[in-house]
Amino acid sequence: MKLSEISVRKPVLATVMSLLIILIGLVAYYELPIREYPNIDEPTVSISTDYTGASPDIIESRVTKVIEDRISGIDGIKSITSQSRQERSNITVTFNMNVDPGDAAADIRDRVGRVRGSLPDEADEPVITKVESDASPIIFMTVTSTKHTPAEISDYISRNLVKRIELISGVAMVNIFGERRYTMRIWLDPDKLAANAVTVQDVRNAVSAQNLEVPGGRVEGKEREFSVLAETGLSSPEQFANVIIAQRNGYLLRVKDVGRVELGTTDQRSTYRLNGENAIGMGLVKQSTANPLDISRDLKKVSEEINTNLPDGMKFLITYDSSVFIDHSISNVYSAITEAVLLVVIIIFLFLRNLRSTIIPLVTIPVSLVGAFAIMWALGFSINTLTLLAFVLAVGLVVDDAIVVLENIHRHIENGKKPLNAALTGMKEISLPIIAMTMTLAAVYIPVALTQGRTGKLFTEFAITLAGAVVVSGFVALTLTPMMCSKMLKEEHHKNRFNRMMDGFFDWVDAMYRKVLSASIRSWIPGALVMMAVLAGGWYLLKGLPKELAPLEDRSVIFGIYSGPDGATPAYSMEAAKKLEAIYQTIPERTAVQTRVGTPVVPDGISVLRLKLWDERERTQQEIAAELAPKMAAIPDVRAFPVNPPSLGLSASRQPVRFVIKTTASYGELNDMANRFIQEVGQSPMLSSVRSDLRLSTPELKVAVDRDKAADMGVSVEDVNRAIETMFGGSTTTKFKMDSEQYDVIVKTEDSMRTVPQDLDRLYVRSGSGAMIPLSNLITINEGVTAQSLNHFDRARSAIISGSLNPGYTLGEALDYLDATAAKMFPDNYSVDYDGESREFRESSGGLVLTFILAILFIYLMLSAQFESFVDPLIIMFTVPLSMAGALLALKLTGNTLNIYSQIGLITLIGLITKHGILIVEFANQLQLTGLSKAEAVVEAATLRLRPILMTTSAMVLGSVPLALATGAGAESRHQIGWVIVGGMLFGTVLTLLIVPLAYKLFATVKHREEDAEAEQG
């Protein structure tokens, strides 16, 4: 009260305080970064190690497991996953959110550095990056040219573009897709080698020995000196072709005598295509905690510079940018704020019907919203989808306190008091409820701010931003609002016809409400029955509502995933990609199609179907994906399916269901169990495109060396391995220099001479006596199968069962079904876990229940302290289940689900709805002190507070309508919060006006004036 009295008596001071809030807030606004979400990305570090020629078994045992064992003891690790593939180990370490990304990478680098001596000498140095090993690019770029070959384009990209783009802050790496890197190819003919008594190792040794670049030193004279350059390096196909291998009977045997040399490219195992044509592409992968909007903005600046300097005929295009959705989504929320302000202005004017009166609560909106920016800046928050959603809700919320103050002061003016006295008297009555309402709404978010993990971070910025705006609005309601009321409000002696009509209507509503309320509190039975019915209905709705992590948003892009049969060739994979592209041509909403053929392994591929923007098409992304699914599934001998990219920064190309099976059993047993599990769950109508990442059917030729025979003939096992590796896998023998860049020299058999297993018989090795020995005398060849990838999850052997959700089913239902099926099928040495979106859903579900309970307890304790009573807060808390039932009913009727966004709305609703109960209970307590009975006091209090309650509810509901009816980017998420507030406030307010007075009559303590209490004690 003291603060309000000072503000009323010193209007300049009250004005200056609000102006300072606006000034500080505006300064803070321009310092705030803009993101899609709060910084919810967990620090992630990947370790990639190449080991040429090694099988997945060797990679797992000699590389992956060795590194995993060493890094597992680092503090703050949340999970470790790994893939051991042919010639490559990928390990991804995810840390808890409170770990600094730089510290995480430094710890990993330190541990891996210590373990290097335990890895095979032939293995490359492990490469450590602050990103997932299989992270999806957030931006795709394409370089085309009408005057350059694919090799020339690739070379220009590698030399000039990759390094320039990687300099952008937040960029982890730039991958080149469809790269055709220059390589000196030495194609050997096994028959010519044998005819000239030359082995593969002879060629390798000769090329390496004659391609050297060493410093030559200096020639120093008395007055001048010369640097000596020994030009012993080779750089052209002709020079490599003329390398001397041996001398045979006076004849110099050269490389060109046993094969041919060309300046070619690396093996074409993968291809990048844009709109059905081969191209060279790039994928920008961000660091795990980087801001996509900042990266996109900086890349656009760099792209202008790049296009200016490109060679004639070459073009650089940004062909997919995930930040386009983010930008549109944030713009749409700004529009929602504007719409909410207009709707709130209209509802306030309709209730007050006076421009001067309308301006007073409206001033609260800019002061509160701008003031909240200062709180966000001080706490290190950002402007993002969640904080802007908080602002939308705040528009209808921050005017509540001002409306309550205005209505109370206005009532005293109409009763004959002067504006100044009315302001002082009104604030004496209303200050405590204002403080109580403000503190209550702020208290509801204390548990939210303490929630850990990604979901907690998501909640925290929304909650603190909304609470900050409410706190500022409470301050304004205690300072600026009463001052403006004392200066601007006047008693109206002559009202126009519309005002008289509206006053008559509201007087009729007051009279009818008083009549209904007086009748309803005479007996507790009807109220109790209504309460029990509402509780039962709310529980039924809670159990029946589908549950998921977040609603599926229309992001104007669909990812297509396909997998060919194990062992499929690049040509087979290309044909599958063309069939997929043909299906995309039937989609009229498409704007571009990008395909990465042979990614991550040769039989597989990933495509990106870009759609027209939201206002340029009738169908949603989800509807288009539903059309594509059966068409893609019909592609013969290929498993193909569409993926709608998830929200919350999760991997765009992963299916939503990711169920992890872990075991101590062998991979063979795990594969059998996974296949049985897939066969069982594949029959469920919930799931489609169910698959396992454990694939043990890749064709393999197992070559066994007869070590005894090899030893008798003086042939080392290494010579045998080197011959096979070089001729069939291609061996990087040395390097050559072209235009100051180093490129590989690869020795390999001609493609036409390694098409069947019998081609191994054409190789020869040299014995200890110098004789040429056919390789077929020393080896035995057996056909078999091997793993495409051997995976670990938290260091245990694992298989991830992934799948897509069919329309009408949610992630919660699918995971519950998978859990139940696993419990029936798996023996004791098997366990289950979750990955990706499924893991986030499971982790968030348990935490939110606890947060909800804590929020109720915090509000109760806060109210108990303010009312100096444990009973009055219980009466107020009757409003919570009433509003929850209304919110759940709204979700049910609109086809929405229980997810992170709707749960945020439910927790917000706790603070919103209790404000009504606070107004009624506090004023009823004051009326009891005047000598009224409990029943008389609560009827009078509820009737007098009816108009401000209806006004604040209308403002809150209409302020949330732009969210409930949102369209465009991100609309699906905004719907959830909007309908929760609209349904909860409407349903909860109606029942609150009847149930809270009844509860007050039944349970409230009798209040006495202090002099009466002293008389009774005396």
Side-chain angles (χ1 to χ4, degrees), residues 37 77 100 227 309 345 542 589 615 650 818 852 889 912 982:
Y37 299 111
I77 288 180
D100 180 82
S227 60
N309 299 320
V345 169
L542 181 64
E589 295 89 350
D615 56 353
L650 298 170
L818 293 177
F852 192 84
L889 180 61
L912 298 181
V982 170

Side-chain angles (χ1 to χ4, degrees), residues 651-691:
S651 177
S653 58
R654 286 182 178 175
Q655 293 168 277
V657 178
R658 289 180 65 82
F659 190 78
V660 184
I661 304 174
K662 300 191 294 187
T663 184
T664 56
S666 67
Y667 278 109
E669 294 176 17
L670 174 59
N671 187 56
D672 292 339
M673 181 63 72
N675 289 334
R676 285 172 48 207
F677 186 75
I678 290 174
Q679 186 174 6
E680 177 69 24
V681 302
Q683 300 172 13
S684 169
M686 300 182 189
L687 300 170
S688 60
S689 305
V690 183
R691 59 176 183 160

Side-chain angles (χ1 to χ4, degrees), residues 160-174 284 298 302 305:
N160 301 287
L161 302 190
V162 170
K163 295 175 183 177
R164 178 65 187 89
I165 295 172
E166 285 182 341
L167 289 175
I168 295 174
S169 177
V171 175
M173 65 179 74
V174 175
L284 187 155
D298 293 343
V302 170
E305 170 192 325

Side-chain angles (χ1 to χ4, degrees), residues 330-343 365 369 373 387-393 395 959 962-963:
I330 290 177
S331 297
N332 288 344
V333 182
Y334 274 117
S335 299
I337 294 174
T338 304
E339 294 164 3
V341 170
L342 292 176
L343 290 172
I365 297 177
L369 299 190
F373 288 129
T387 52
L388 289 177
L389 284 178
F391 279 119
V392 178
L393 295 181
V395 169
L963 298 180

Side-chain angles (χ1 to χ4, degrees), residues 758-789:
Q758 289 72 26
D759 285 334
L760 279 167
D761 297 340
R762 303 166 73 172
L763 300 184
Y764 284 76
V765 291
R766 183 173 284 107
S767 69
S769 63
M772 298 294 288
I773 309 296
L775 201 61
S776 56
N777 290 351
L778 304 175
I779 63 173
T780 304
I781 302 174
N782 294 302
E783 292 190 30
V785 293
T786 188
Q788 187 183 92
S789 175

Side-chain angles (χ1 to χ4, degrees), residues 109 169 208 229 261 268 281 341-342 513 520 528 778 826 871 898 942 975:
R109 197 171 286 111
S169 177
S208 297
L229 174 64
V261 182
Q268 299 181 14
V341 170
L342 292 176
Y513 173 62
S520 67
L778 304 175
F826 294 168
V871 176
L898 270 180
H975 289 165

Side-chain angles (χ1 to χ4, degrees), residues 207-284:
V207 172
S208 297
Q210 297 180 48
N211 181 38
L212 294 174
E213 279 195 351
V214 293
R218 294 186 301 274
V219 173
E220 299 179 359
K222 288 185 178 181
E223 297 181 356
R224 298 182 65 188
E225 69 176 23
F226 300 86
S227 60
V228 178
L229 174 64
E231 293 186 337
T232 53
L234 307 176
S235 59
S236 68
E238 293 75 18
Q239 289 175 327
F240 279 98
N242 286 313
V243 167
I244 299 169
I245 303 171
Q247 188 172 10
R248 296 284 187 269
N249 300 321
Y251 173 75
L252 296 177
L253 184 67
R254 303 177 185 272
V255 169
K256 63 184 178 182
D257 297 322
V258 294
R260 65 184 180 89
V261 182
E262 67 172 356
L263 179 61
T265 61
T266 50
D267 289 342
Q268 299 181 14
R269 305 280 287 173
S270 64
T271 303
Y272 175 81
R273 292 167 61 81
L274 177 65
N275 296 327
E277 300 292 335
N278 290 356
I280 309 298
M282 290 180 285
L284 187 155

